[in-house]
Amino acid sequence: MEWLNRMTKAIQYIEQHIDGELTSEDVAKAACSSTFHFQRMFYMLTNVTLAEYIRKRRLTLAAQELAMTDARVIDIAFKFGYDTPESFAKAFCKAHGITPTAARQPGVTLKAFPRLSFHFSLRGDQDMDYRIEQKEAFSVLGKKLHVTCADDENLEAIPAFWNEMNSSGMSDYLCKLSPESKMYGICLHMDMETQYYDYMIAVDTPAASLEETKKFEIEEIPAATWAIFTAIGPVPDAVQKTWQRIFQEWLPATGYEHTGGPEMEVYPPHDDPFDPRHRCEIWIPVTKK
């Protein structure tokens, strides 16, 4: 598949430049992809960010050089992108549990993070329905949570955020402000380098200016072409599994790429989210490659 070849080329590029200047933009270019789309795909396919993968590969190779050569620690630190021996020693100790100097002792245990490889796997055991829609820009009103996907923190923090909004009555309050709106769970301002983004629980901004809206934040969702998927089953499991399938199955198998814009979960208001028949949608902004 095309995506398999592109990912393989990206890994080859990383290995060829692992001891030189290496940017996410250059790696994405090697995969003929936008930087955001490549970083998002890389993380969803490997469960490690691109920056973390490069860091772990460099520390793996640095450990090998320390164990097998007489090169100075400072030279190895500079070779693998560290500005000072101190920053290298700190990162090395965190990765291997010992100092760079100790890595030269006979019989020490070092950790290796192997080079990634991608393989095609036929699935097709479950249909994945979707539709493509164009939507003009619109604004939403709601509350935000600043969250990270490091260590899968978002998988616990976001459901807890929903529980807090529901138990406090804030979700119902939002629905009353915009009674014709569905509920949105929106991923905004995603930074794949730091792994942080804002998650917003929101409704369409009311047409009338209301005094009550001042306690909420407003965000503009840009016009986009959306790939829309249906998640069926109790929240959050059904939603999380659908997210995984979008990035692991649908995007690699199609000619579409993520544009880097906001992602949305769209929920019917007042439905029971724990009902096995519960239906919601996931909206991904896409462009045809």
Side-chain angles (χ1 to χ4, degrees), residues 113-129:
F113 192 82
R115 171 177 172 166
L116 283 174
S117 60
F118 294 91
H119 303 278
F120 177 68
S121 176
L122 281 175
R123 297 191 181 185
D125 58 331
Q126 185 177 357
D127 291 337
M128 195 167 194
D129 296 332

Side-chain angles (χ1 to χ4, degrees), residues 1-20:
M1 290 178 70
E2 181 187 2
W3 76 270
L4 181 64
N5 293 331
R6 289 160 62 186
M7 284 293 183
T8 300
K9 287 179 180 178
I11 296 298
Q12 290 173 343
Y13 183 89
I14 291 171
E15 294 297 319
Q16 290 166 358
H17 298 82
I18 197 73
D19 58 354

Side-chain angles (χ1 to χ4, degrees), residues 120-270:
F120 177 68
S121 176
L122 281 175
R123 297 191 181 185
D125 58 331
Q126 185 177 357
D127 291 337
M128 195 167 194
D129 296 332
Y130 73 96
R131 67 185 189 274
I132 302 294
E133 285 190 11
Q134 303 268 349
K135 189 174 178 66
E136 295 300 318
F138 65 102
S139 66
V140 294
L141 178 86
K143 291 283 189 180
K144 288 181 188 172
L145 173 72
H146 196 54
V147 68
T148 178
C149 51
D151 300 321
D152 290 333
E153 178 185 307
N154 55 325
L155 300 184
E156 295 185 5
I158 290 174
F161 184 39
W162 274 102
N163 288 338
E164 178 187 345
M165 289 286 286
N166 292 335
S167 62
S168 68
M170 196 62 70
S171 295
D172 288 339
Y173 189 75
L174 277 170
C175 289
K176 289 178 182 177
L177 291 178
S178 187
E180 301 301 318
S181 174
K182 295 182 178 180
M183 292 289 296
Y184 301 104
I186 310 174
C187 300
L188 297 153
H189 314 135
M190 290 181 283
D191 186 337
M192 292 310 300
E193 292 283 358
T194 65
Q195 302 187 64
Y196 276 93
Y197 62 95
D198 291 326
Y199 184 86
M200 187 176 191
I201 296 176
V203 294
D204 291 318
T205 302
S209 178
L210 304 174
E211 182 67 25
E212 295 94 326
T213 63
K214 292 182 178 179
K215 65 181 69 174
F216 299 103
E217 296 180 79
I218 294 177
E219 280 282 347
E220 182 80 7
I221 307 300
T225 298
W226 301 90
I228 303 172
F229 306 83
T230 302
I232 303 174
V235 175
D237 288 349
V239 173
Q240 292 171 359
K241 288 177 181 176
T242 303
W243 276 113
Q244 290 174 341
R245 292 194 67 201
I246 290 168
F247 282 91
Q248 294 176 1
E249 300 176 37
W250 188 82
L251 279 169
T254 68
Y256 288 99
E257 286 198 348
H258 198 303
T259 65
E263 301 169 345
M264 296 194 296
E265 300 155 3
V266 182
Y267 296 95
H270 311 303

Side-chain angles (χ1 to χ4, degrees), residues 231-234 272 274-279:
I232 303 174
D272 179 4
F274 306 111
D275 190 321
R277 298 164 297 177
H278 179 265
R279 298 172 71 92

